[in-house]
PDB file of all heavy atoms in Angstrom:
ATOM      1  N   ARG A 193      87.701 109.892  92.992  1.00 98.00           N
ATOM      2  CA  ARG A 193      87.742 108.538  92.923  1.00 98.00           C
ATOM      3  C   ARG A 193      87.622 107.877  94.355  1.00 98.00           C
ATOM      4  O   ARG A 193      86.947 106.904  94.563  1.00 98.00           O
ATOM      5  CB  ARG A 193      89.114 108.034  92.349  1.00 98.00           C
ATOM      6  CG  ARG A 193      89.301 108.338  90.895  1.00 98.00           C
ATOM      7  CD  ARG A 193      90.501 107.543  90.384  1.00 98.00           C
ATOM      8  NE  ARG A 193      90.210 106.081  90.237  1.00 98.00           N
ATOM      9  CZ  ARG A 193      90.714 105.300  89.353  1.00 98.00           C
ATOM     10  NH1 ARG A 193      91.535 105.822  88.420  1.00 98.00           N
ATOM     11  NH2 ARG A 193      90.406 104.047  89.297  1.00 98.00           N
ATOM     12  N   ARG A 194      88.273 108.550  95.276  1.00 98.00           N
ATOM     13  CA  ARG A 194      88.177 108.031  96.699  1.00 98.00           C
ATOM     14  C   ARG A 194      86.704 108.088  97.190  1.00 98.00           C
ATOM     15  O   ARG A 194      86.282 107.169  97.828  1.00 98.00           O
ATOM     16  CB  ARG A 194      89.077 108.857  97.516  1.00 98.00           C
ATOM     17  CG  ARG A 194      89.288 108.409  99.023  1.00 98.00           C
ATOM     18  CD  ARG A 194      90.338 109.196  99.775  1.00 98.00           C
ATOM     19  NE  ARG A 194      91.499 109.328  99.054  1.00 98.00           N
ATOM     20  CZ  ARG A 194      92.031 110.467  98.549  1.00 98.00           C
ATOM     21  NH1 ARG A 194      91.303 111.558  98.670  1.00 98.00           N
ATOM     22  NH2 ARG A 194      93.189 110.463  97.982  1.00 98.00           N
ATOM     23  N   ALA A 195      86.055 109.207  96.903  1.00 98.00           N
ATOM     24  CA  ALA A 195      84.629 109.422  97.389  1.00 98.00           C
ATOM     25  C   ALA A 195      83.732 108.309  96.747  1.00 98.00           C
ATOM     26  O   ALA A 195      82.857 107.804  97.406  1.00 98.00           O
ATOM     27  CB  ALA A 195      84.223 110.755  96.977  1.00 98.00           C
ATOM     28  N   LEU A 196      83.977 108.102  95.460  1.00 98.00           N
ATOM     29  CA  LEU A 196      83.145 107.012  94.834  1.00 98.00           C
ATOM     30  C   LEU A 196      83.443 105.580  95.567  1.00 98.00           C
ATOM     31  O   LEU A 196      82.427 104.947  95.744  1.00 98.00           O
ATOM     32  CB  LEU A 196      83.556 106.830  93.376  1.00 98.00           C
ATOM     33  CG  LEU A 196      83.036 107.734  92.348  1.00 98.00           C
ATOM     34  CD1 LEU A 196      83.470 107.314  90.929  1.00 98.00           C
ATOM     35  CD2 LEU A 196      81.520 107.882  92.348  1.00 98.00           C
ATOM     36  N   GLY A 197      84.625 105.291  95.878  1.00 97.00           N
ATOM     37  CA  GLY A 197      84.921 104.119  96.605  1.00 97.00           C
ATOM     38  C   GLY A 197      84.229 103.817  97.948  1.00 97.00           C
ATOM     39  O   GLY A 197      84.047 102.685  98.228  1.00 97.00           O
ATOM     40  N   ILE A 198      83.966 104.970  98.543  1.00 97.00           N
ATOM     41  CA  ILE A 198      83.250 104.876  99.894  1.00 97.00           C
ATOM     42  C   ILE A 198      81.878 105.257  99.821  1.00 97.00           C
ATOM     43  O   ILE A 198      81.180 105.532 100.862  1.00 97.00           O
ATOM     44  CB  ILE A 198      84.045 105.577 100.968  1.00 97.00           C
ATOM     45  CG1 ILE A 198      84.133 107.118 100.591  1.00 97.00           C
ATOM     46  CG2 ILE A 198      85.410 104.989 101.132  1.00 97.00           C
ATOM     47  CD1 ILE A 198      84.717 107.934 101.811  1.00 97.00           C
ATOM     48  N   HIS A 199      81.286 105.482  98.520  1.00 98.00           N
ATOM     49  CA  HIS A 199      79.911 105.947  98.397  1.00 98.00           C
ATOM     50  C   HIS A 199      79.623 107.270  99.045  1.00 98.00           C
ATOM     51  O   HIS A 199      78.544 107.370  99.647  1.00 98.00           O
ATOM     52  CB  HIS A 199      78.907 104.826  98.762  1.00 98.00           C
ATOM     53  CG  HIS A 199      78.981 103.557  98.017  1.00 98.00           C
ATOM     54  ND1 HIS A 199      78.039 102.591  97.985  1.00 98.00           N
ATOM     55  CD2 HIS A 199      80.018 103.102  97.141  1.00 98.00           C
ATOM     56  CE1 HIS A 199      78.407 101.676  97.190  1.00 98.00           C
ATOM     57  NE2 HIS A 199      79.614 101.876  96.732  1.00 98.00           N
ATOM     58  N   ALA A 200      80.607 108.187  98.967  1.00 98.00           N
ATOM     59  CA  ALA A 200      80.353 109.392  99.586  1.00 98.00           C
ATOM     60  C   ALA A 200      80.160 110.533  98.552  1.00 98.00           C
ATOM     61  O   ALA A 200      80.892 111.581  98.606  1.00 98.00           O
ATOM     62  CB  ALA A 200      81.537 109.769 100.521  1.00 98.00           C
ATOM     63  N   THR A 201      79.327 110.322  97.558  1.00 98.00           N
ATOM     64  CA  THR A 201      79.057 111.263  96.549  1.00 98.00           C
ATOM     65  C   THR A 201      77.591 111.563  96.575  1.00 98.00           C
ATOM     66  O   THR A 201      76.745 110.814  97.011  1.00 98.00           O
ATOM     67  CB  THR A 201      79.425 110.769  95.221  1.00 98.00           C
ATOM     68  OG1 THR A 201      78.694 109.505  94.932  1.00 98.00           O
ATOM     69  CG2 THR A 201      80.954 110.503  95.159  1.00 98.00           C
TER      70      THR A 201
END
Side-chain angles (χ1 to χ4, degrees):
R193 293 193 71 148
R194 189 177 306 112
L196 282 185
I198 60 174
H199 293 198
T201 58

